[in-house]
Amino acid sequence: MEIDKDNANPTILNPSDLPSRRREPLAKQRDDGGSGLFDHLVPAYNYLNDPFDGPASSGDSDDGSVEDIDEQEIYDLISSISDPEHPLSLGSLAVVNLPDIFIQPPTSPRSAISTVLVEITPTITHCSLATVIGLGVRVRLEQALPPRFRVDVRIKKGTHSTDDAVNKQLGDKERVAAALENGTLMGVIRKMLSTCE
Amino acid sequence: MAPPPDTCAFTLRPLATLSPPSNSRTWQSVPHPTLPMVATACSDRTVRVYSLTSFTLLHSITGGHKRSVRCASWKPHTKGQSVLATGSFDASAGIWRRDERAGLEGNDADNNDDDDDDDDYQFSCILDGHESEIKSVAWSPSGQYLATCSRDKSVWIWEELEDDNFETIAVLNEHDGDVKCVAWHPEEDLLASSSYDDTVRLYREDSDDWQQVANIEGHGMTVWWVEFEGSGMAQRDFRAVKEGLAEEQKKQVEDMERSGPRLATCSDDCTVRIWRRKPKENSGPSNNAGMPSIIRSMNIDEEWIADAVLPQKHERAIYALSWSRKTGLIVSSGSDGKIIVYKEQWKNQLSNGVPPEEGATQDSNLTEWVVVAELFSSHDVFEVNHVCWAPRRDKGKRSEDEEVILSTGDDGEVRIWTLDEETTAS
Amino acid sequence: MSDIQQYLLDYDKNKRGAAATAQQTATRLEKRELKLLDLVQELGEYFNSEDGAVRSKTMAYLAEVLALVPQKVLSLQQRNLLCDFTLSRLEDSEGLGSCAKALTALEERGKWDHERVQKIVETLLHNSHPLRQYKQQSERYPVLRFIDTLMAKYRDALRAMHDDKPDFLSYFIAYFDGEKDPRNLMVVFSILRVPMIEWNIGANAQELFDAVFNYFPITFRPPPDDPYGITAQDLKDRLRDCISSTSDFAPYAFPALLDKLDSTSMNTKRDVLQAITASVAEYGPRTIALYSITLWDALKFEILNVQEEDLAKDALKGLAAIAKTLSKGTTGPLNSYLRPITKECNEHFEDAPTKQSQASARILNTISSISAEVTNIILAGVLPTIFTLFQTAETMAKRRGLLEVVVPLIHADIEVFGDWKSVGTAGPHPAANALVQFKDQALEIMSNGLTNAPPKEVSFRLACLGGLLQLSKARELLSDKEIGNIIQQFHAIVIHEESHGKDEVKDAAINALVEIAHQKPQVVIEKAFPAFMAQLPDTDTDGQTGYLPVLEAFAKLGGEEKVFSTVILRLKNKFSSAVQQNASSAYVVALLSALLYALNQGSEQLEQNPESSSYYQDIVLPIIKRTSSSDDSRPKAFDEESTLDLVGRICNIIIRPLSVEQQNQISVELYTLFSGTPQNELSPIKTDAIEKSKTMVVSTHLLASLRKDAILPCEVNLLISSVVAFSQQPALSLPVRSASLRQISLLLNKFVPASSLKTIMDPLLNSPIDLFNLDKLDPFRIRIIFACLKALLLRNSPSLSTLYPKLLAFLSHPKYGKTVAHGFTTLLQPDDLLTKANHCLINGLHKQKSFALLVPNITTSFREATPETKPNYLIALSGVLKWMPFDIVVEEVGLLVPLLLQSLDLQGEEAVKEAAITTLMSILGERPDAVKEHAGSLISRLLNTSTVDIKKAGEVGKSAEGSGGVAAPPRVRGLALKCLALVPEKLKQEVVLPYRRQVVKRLTGALDDRKREVRFCAVRCRARWLEVDEVGDED
């Protein structure tokens, strides 16, 4: 029934093993080593904070600190894309991997353009859907990253029989743009991205 | 890698942004051959026609295409009307007409903006045939032929028998990849096409049968744009100054004359290259005139040789270039958002500007191309899909043949730049 | 005209008339005015009419009459005569339906003997074939019903026919052949099911099976106005019942079904799987034994390569059903069924973790929870292989994959054999549990895995941990010593392990301890507690702070009732010794927090048996004494209001369930706090030493814990006035002031009966205090006003209707209007002191009431308000709406939306914006139409609120000039984006489409937000908008 699939029985990683940011807000390593279990003993709305002294700023006020877009963030954006032929995420299939994501800062002070390079690893070397997957990744990033990023998606060297051809396609802005206007193809992509949050 | 600015002889200064801009990606902007207006191909399936005097929107051409309008081309030598050809991702090309006799609006576009609904562009016919996205359209200088090319790897040549009756006179399937761009030779019925297969090919008619006459290889990646040099540039560019030329220099000018207009290409490989036709023995500067057609030309093949590789300033794909018909300057733009202007000049013997490129016949070449202007982030952080020269038409124009640069970006904006002489010595 | 003529006349156009005529005839028969014979003779001519229609109508007439005559009217031989007559009519090609009706009527009027029944059936089967004769369902239905009745009432008779005449059944079956009408089919199925189940059908089995299976898979969409309300499901069910009715069908059913399983239609597959499961359940072990393997080979595909999740589930059900049926029989077949399964699964495990290894695990679990026997066979079948694979596995991933197979198996084993607390499905005395001979190996593998694997192998360690937990739960599997070791491993992780990643392992370890504590409290107390205690120093003077995680874990353990009291006890002791050895305030606070946390978790227990608990003596008294004492039994930590708040909460939770009598011991010491100072020296609250005044925080919690009828230290009005006075001292710290204000609320809400409310309020509203006097207005009094109102609105006091207007009037106050406005949010804000648990008066409808009294009023005054004061109304409004359940808000959405939108333009009022957006979101959710016409301004405002980019702000938002210049805080930016994401979801395509491009473009700004959280929202939001696509450009 599913013999037509390129790889009917892929290896699956466990979500817990996928790289991830520590869960917010516990993310900030507490100096006391605690997990903040007791932080909520006193309800958020208790009489001790008094609304009359201006609106109570509940700790998140905009400290100027900037959280830059980093490889992990890119990974989180694309790892949840689901594979076109399995109901599984590209992350859990190890198609996208954190070490294969590279962010290039602007090459000159006069330029504002950074580049993101993502190398994807198809589940098997002849996976005919490599292009679709790559397209999905590129589309996702073009939709989710600010325009100052240039997105390059490539098949990781030596993991795919026709990687050069695929890379050239994925690199061709015009083709990608046209693909996005192709309803049928976009249908597939939409389905893949529908699992992204 | 950015050179110290003082080597640049010019600066690009923003003159205007055509308004209102489109809300989505714009692909290409083509100036009207005679009237002061420009047609911009937009991904929102429309073409926007702006005035080059007021920089405002004159017409929004809608309703013809089902997908992105990728490219456009004005038909030359049309009397009393404007004829625009458009190519779209919906695999069709469209022909649009508008009667211009009603007060040549270009001259006073400002008070003409409002009444564009009653005298709007009419969708007069559709050219079907390509199997997938059309990427470029180009009218031949005479206006007799229209060339289109597509992702289906083919180049089509159409001939307009009478109004709106187009006949396909050639389907050229030489490329083995998307055909990205087509361009006509300014003097001969010679067509050039560039492609995803990294090559540039030339075609001409041989006893009413169009054939490939040259296949130019040299770019390492997709060739995004191809464009011929203007006609008779020797009178305008650096060659204009005849006195005090060394013998070999004189000879080279002569050589170039015999080759005729050169070809410029730019590519994903981040280079801009110039190609020159190897003159045929005992054939005039341009061999289309002489030949009596009864004698089948034993060999119509042409040899085009690498003439120059321009200094590499771009860090990502170069999508477009434009070769000024007035000054011989070349301007290029691409994914990195830069706009670069290059100038050709005689090498001064001491420093030879560009290091010899691989295999190219550099050494013999006595001229060199230098970067005279480099502009970063011309469209903020966005890619620049197209750039071209256009005569300056607004009130502020400083001389009769002053030119401006039009750049078209992913941000949906078309920006206009003036080229200002730097006071600093180079 | 004779009845029959009348009847024939009316038959077509006037059914009622016809019925009436029939009734009339019936009555005449009954009254003996008409003789049956005459009637029949009279009908004679019409029965002989050339016109078939007339003949059938005549039969209808007769049938109808017979159905109407009372039982006694017709004698036995009359009935027999009529019966024979009717049967004779069967030879006529007309009026079969009516014949059936007539026969039914006759049968109802007197039971028949076998011979007659058989004769009737004979004649029916021979002289008629409804389907060939009648297109009309209504003609066939009565016949089927009649046969159904016979089947029901005269089984033996019909069965006898079958036994005597070998060919009977086949033409009986043939009789219904080709029926298509759903209503009739329902009957046919029920008729045929009788022979299927009750008759010995050997020879005819296939015939009978085909007769029903021809309809499989049955599909039927009832007409919109189906009078009979028969659903496709009804048909499916009856058909399935037929298929599964007898094991004689097995040889035909299974091949046929499995053949249909290859169908591409998901529905067909679904029907097949359900039919198989049903059949397996019915056919019995002996039969299933023959097909079990074939079925396994077919069903497994649905699970190993899932197409539709629910198909996989049905397939699993099927496999389980087989095991269930087989375990009713002898062991042999069961074994030979399970052998190939375990074999194949073992093969899949070799390349775990894969889709199929996971599927295999699924299969084994589902099956093995069937019975003790099955579990044992499977465990014995796979565990050895898995263990060897585990030993030879080269990757962690593989080991993890294998464990993820084992753990659920143990879980299934527990289902069957039970855990320490409860017996399993196998009952109290099950067969020996095969898990026993594997436990040592399992223990070893998992223990080593958990302790030795590097911390980054999260999932692997989680698997080990989960496994160990299951093992420790399995009934009578491990010795307390072994469980002890597991516990040791767990608390070692909790206590000593470095925090890593999301700390999933640590969390899991803690929760595991809690679970074990539920199963084996004693062991946990003996093993884990000492370890925890050892980690908790008596003092932290050496500055080490490693205790916190331990403390957290320990407090969590308190959640398990079995160990609750011990946890509390140990924490209490730690606290005392910490104080004695004057540990740092941080440590003292930490211990108090832990104590409070544990108490909170066990609060139900406290509620249930307050008397029994000694906590009042052991915890409350000593700790209160500490707060009020002046010697060094009072830790310096108690100088902090926040610490005193913890103390207060600890006391509150213990005191509030106590009886009034016990509470009174405290209430008298409400302010003196057992300090020995006599009450009367504080009058009642000393307003001098601000230092001492901090204990007000504790007093507030004590007051909160008291029941209404507890005796206060002094008259309530005196108390109120003194607290009011107290709360106005400028020098008070913010918490102490708020605490005293809360006391006002508590007093007014709990201790003033409705009767005396007016008198008590009087001094507040009029002289001396005169709260609402515009000239005396100041921040302190404003606070008092809201404190009072809060008390009153919770009990829905009638006074509100006069007080609210006065309050609203203040919104236009030039100086304090804004302060007042900000106060509104306190009115309905959830409050942890004014609660039912604290014996407060909480009227269920108080929010509705306040809404009704406030919101319309605000919206109207807003329109009249001056530009300067307009914002105050918006602030007040959002303050109220913030806490209002949406089903109340919904009443006024029309009015509110414009105001909410304007609140988004307020400068620097982030809390207000936040509230406004939240409300807008619920409106979008529940009443999108209310927002529709505001879509444009909503979208532009949200964009402005969400983008920091000043350059772009106002570009889209014509209406929102200037706003967006100042960036809202990240939380609000994010919220705005969430709301914006709702817009395309909730509003119609044509409404949002015009904005799509500009929104998508503007949002690129938010994609570059400084804060990750905001960017995350922006990405989601933009995705939603990108989905809003220009329609139908596809060819």
Side-chain angles (χ1 to χ4, degrees), chain C residues 575 579 583 585 588 626-627 629 631-639:
Chain C
F575 172 73
V579 174
S585 300
V588 171
R626 287 185 192 281
T627 55
S629 73
D631 57 43
D632 56 8
S633 70
R634 179 173 185 283
K636 47 192 172 320
F638 283 25
D639 296 342

Side-chain angles (χ1 to χ4, degrees), chain C residues 511-550:
Chain C
N511 299 332
L513 283 174
V514 178
E515 268 199 65
I516 301 181
H518 181 70
Q519 298 275 341
K520 284 270 176 188
Q522 213 37 46
V523 188
V524 173
I525 292 174
E526 284 158 13
K527 287 290 178 183
F529 281 29
F532 279 111
M533 285 305 125
Q535 290 305 308
L536 295 180
D538 287 344
T539 170
D540 61 340
T541 36
D542 50 353
Q544 50 125 315
T545 59
Y547 55 77
L548 201 82
V550 185

Side-chain angles (χ1 to χ4, degrees), chain A residues 110, chain B residues 1-13 311-313 329-330 338-343 345 369-376 418-426:
Chain A
R110 295 162 67 191
Chain B
M1 69 178 296
D6 62 354
T7 64
C8 293
F10 299 91
T11 358
L12 292 171
R13 294 226 163 72
Q312 187 170 333
K313 286 290 179 199
L329 293 176
I330 287 182
K338 291 188 195 171
I339 297 179
I340 313 286
V341 182
Y342 317 80
K343 180 172 183 293
Q345 64 191 30
W369 288 86
V370 294
V371 169
V372 291
E374 179 176 25
L375 175 69
F376 281 76
T418 58
L419 193 61
D420 300 357
E421 196 81 43
E422 276 295 333
T423 40
T424 52
S426 50

Side-chain angles (χ1 to χ4, degrees), chain C residues 414-430:
Chain C
I414 293 176
E415 270 181 51
V416 176
F417 292 94
D419 61 18
W420 294 101
K421 288 240 144 292
S422 52
V423 298
T425 52
H429 310 299

